Amino acid sequence: MTKKGKILGPHTAAQLGLSENHIFVDTNVLVGGYSGKSCFHKDADCLHYLFSLTGKKLYISTLSVAQLISMFQKKHTNEEIVGMVRELQHRFTVIDFTNRDINAALVETGADIEDNVQYVLAKKQKCRIVITNNYKDYRALQGIQVFRPTEVRRLPR
């Protein structure tokens, strides 16, 4: 099945040991949400909703944090970036990645290798749900539910 918000591939979340209470947020949602630009209001709204959920664990990767820093380096002061990173560390569990994770990502079937790394890290933390603007790059990856930021309010509180 490849419908939005449905489990993809032949494996069930239970077979993979994934938890619906573990939610992984992709880099593009973080960058949009922290950009302060009105064109990315859906990403900011998504993050605010996720922060209001109880009983859920939110995850991002160190790769996402590094990409956010890199993208904002010329647009924000170091103090502003430090503030953003501190808030991310407060609101999310930040997942480190290893050579083993990179190697696992290189053999995944997703179209985008960077998203494959994020997928491997999400599975490592038993995340059943991934929030991303890159639905097309995650749809072939097995066992997860993929939500766009505009669909995140379908998640129960």
Side-chain angles (χ1 to χ4, degrees):
M1 288 183 274
T2 59
K3 292 183 179 181
K4 291 185 274 180
K6 298 292 181 193
I7 294 176
L8 306 176
H11 301 290
T12 66
Q15 287 173 322
L16 296 172
L18 304 179
S19 171
E20 64 186 21
N21 291 323
H22 291 210
I23 301 170
F24 187 89
V25 179
D26 196 12
T27 306
N28 55 65
V29 177
L30 296 175
V31 170
Y34 279 85
S35 72
K37 294 182 180 178
S38 61
C39 61
F40 294 112
H41 67 63
K42 67 183 181 348
D43 295 325
D45 290 346
C46 169
L47 292 175
H48 289 295
Y49 183 77
L50 289 173
F51 298 157
S52 75
L53 298 176
T54 57
K56 309 286 186 194
K57 282 201 78 167
L58 303 176
Y59 296 90
I60 59 174
S61 71
T62 52
L63 175 59
S64 295
V65 174
Q67 288 175 310
L68 182 134
I69 290 169
S70 178
M71 292 184 77
F72 288 170
Q73 197 67 47
K74 293 184 180 171
K75 299 173 187 172
H76 296 277
T77 67
N78 284 349
E79 286 179 356
E80 291 170 327
I81 293 171
V82 167
M84 286 180 216
V85 171
R86 294 285 184 230
E87 183 175 352
L88 291 172
Q89 291 173 316
H90 173 73
R91 300 213 181 249
F92 294 91
T93 298
V94 182
I95 309 164
D96 291 329
F97 67 102
T98 66
N99 267 336
R100 181 177 290 164
D101 299 325
I102 293 168
N103 288 331
L106 294 176
V107 297
E108 282 297 337
T109 58
D112 183 301
I113 294 173
E114 184 269 338
D115 286 331
N116 288 352
V117 172
Q118 304 287 20
Y119 168 71
V120 166
L121 296 174
K123 280 192 340 183
K124 186 176 178 178
Q125 296 301 315
K126 309 293 186 205
C127 297
R128 179 176 175 192
I129 297 167
V130 173
I131 312 295
T132 183
N133 286 303
N134 290 340
Y135 177 78
K136 66 178 178 54
D137 291 334
Y138 282 89
R139 70 176 183 244
L141 299 171
Q142 297 182 3
I144 58 171
Q145 289 182 291
V146 182
F147 287 85
R148 291 180 175 101
T150 55
E151 300 169 326
V152 77
R153 291 189 182 274
R154 291 182 17 211
L155 295 172
R157 287 188 176 266

